[in-house]
């Protein structure tokens, strides 16, 4: 199993470590500790407020699903460069298990889903997600190297938010991920208002 997770640092967070797959060798660097000079004291109330503000800023979490280890790593690297947290799955069934194991899908803000995989193809995963009330709100970007227009059309009909061809351009990748996350945030805000 080649599961990869990452936690990018937030502004002001001194722990800039990432979790990698088992067996990987880390950088060996220890996180720097914060020290306050004795001349600078911070009001405990202000310190607590800053801590709460940092915690309130939730970093988007993206599930990367692809049967190719190379593609998974490339996608995960791109997600990490955007400053987001990611987790990976190597097939469609594993992706559904991860999503259904999360708190009503609330753990994930976006799924990058390969079209053709063993066990369960991407279109079937998408179909299952859109049937499940707990997962239907998660945007999905379908990814495929195939040029089959009917497959792309089927995924859009099933509710895919976007489609990304392989190999993908990093600028287009960023634009599509950012657009999907922005649209999800807008829907969530509207849902709280109504």
């Amino acid at each position: 199993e080649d599961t990869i997770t990452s936690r990018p640092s937030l502004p002001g967070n001194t722990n800039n470590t990432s979790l990698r797959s088992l067996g990987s060798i880390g950088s060996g660097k220890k996180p720097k500790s914060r020290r306050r000079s004795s001349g600078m004291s911070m009001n405990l109330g202000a310190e607590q407020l800053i801590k709460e503000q940092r915690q309130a800023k939730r970093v988007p979490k993206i599930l990367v699903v692809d049967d190719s280890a190379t593609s998974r790593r490339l996608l995960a690297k791109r997600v990490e460069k955007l400053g987001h947290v990611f987790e990976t799955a190597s097939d469609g069934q594993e992706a559904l298990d991860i999503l259904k194991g999360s708190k009503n899908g609330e753990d994930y803000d976006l799924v990058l889903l390969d079209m053709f995989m063993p066990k369960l193809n991407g279109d079937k995963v998408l179909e299952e997600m859109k049937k499940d009330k707990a997962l239907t709100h998660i945007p999905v970007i379908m990814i495929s190297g195939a040029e089959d227009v009917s497959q792309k059309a089927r995924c859009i009909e099933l509710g895919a938010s976007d489609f990304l061809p392989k190999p993908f351009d990093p600028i287009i990748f960023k634009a599509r991920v950012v657009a999907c996350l922005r649209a999800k945030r807008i829907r969530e805000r509207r849902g709280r208002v109504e």
Side-chain angles (χ1 to χ4, degrees):
E1 186 174 306
D2 186 20
T3 300
I4 305 171
T5 49
S6 166
R7 292 184 182 94
S9 65
L10 293 172
N13 183 354
T14 57
N15 186 359
N16 190 17
T17 59
S18 295
L19 298 176
R20 295 284 178 203
S21 62
L22 294 176
S24 294
I25 299 172
S27 65
K29 294 181 182 176
K30 293 182 181 177
K32 297 176 185 175
S33 60
R34 287 182 114 173
R35 292 188 182 144
R36 256 189 235 133
S37 68
S38 57
M40 292 179 62
S41 64
M42 186 179 274
N43 178 324
L44 271 179
E47 187 174 22
Q48 182 64 29
L49 179 64
I50 291 169
K51 183 179 177 183
E52 288 172 4
Q53 286 173 339
R54 282 193 194 128
Q55 289 172 344
K57 184 176 180 182
R58 189 176 159 280
V59 177
K61 186 172 183 181
I62 299 174
L63 181 61
V64 176
V65 188
D66 200 310
D67 60 318
S68 163
T70 303
S71 291
R72 268 195 317 276
R73 279 191 288 275
L74 179 61
L75 287 164
K77 183 179 176 182
R78 294 284 175 207
V79 167
E80 190 173 40
K81 278 188 172 190
L82 294 175
H84 306 313
V85 176
F86 66 87
E87 191 168 341
T88 65
S90 59
D91 63 61
Q93 188 57 57
E94 182 183 1
L96 278 178
D97 293 343
I98 289 170
L99 289 166
K100 289 181 178 184
S102 67
K103 299 173 284 189
N104 292 327
E106 291 174 19
D107 292 346
Y108 296 93
D109 298 289
L110 177 64
V111 176
L112 300 176
L113 186 59
D114 185 31
M115 177 71 85
F116 301 106
M117 296 181 289
K119 296 185 185 175
L120 203 58
N121 272 336
D123 60 339
K124 298 295 182 195
V125 173
L126 178 62
E127 194 171 0
E128 290 298 315
M129 286 179 67
K130 296 307 173 182
K131 286 180 189 175
D132 189 326
K133 283 184 181 179
L135 305 177
T136 193
H137 69 283
I138 303 172
V140 177
I141 297 177
M142 298 301 296
I143 301 169
S144 178
E147 291 298 320
D148 186 356
V149 176
S150 64
Q151 282 286 9
K152 292 177 184 179
R154 175 168 160 63
C155 290
I156 291 168
E157 288 170 359
L158 288 171
S161 302
D162 210 334
F163 203 93
L164 191 65
K166 285 184 188 177
F168 59 86
D169 180 277
I171 295 168
I172 298 298
F173 175 80
K174 177 182 178 181
R176 290 183 175 171
V177 167
V178 168
C180 282
L181 292 172
R182 185 178 300 131
K184 182 176 185 278
R185 278 194 303 271
I186 290 168
R187 281 193 309 272
E188 288 171 348
R189 277 191 226 131
R190 285 182 184 159
R192 283 192 294 258
V193 171
E194 292 171 2

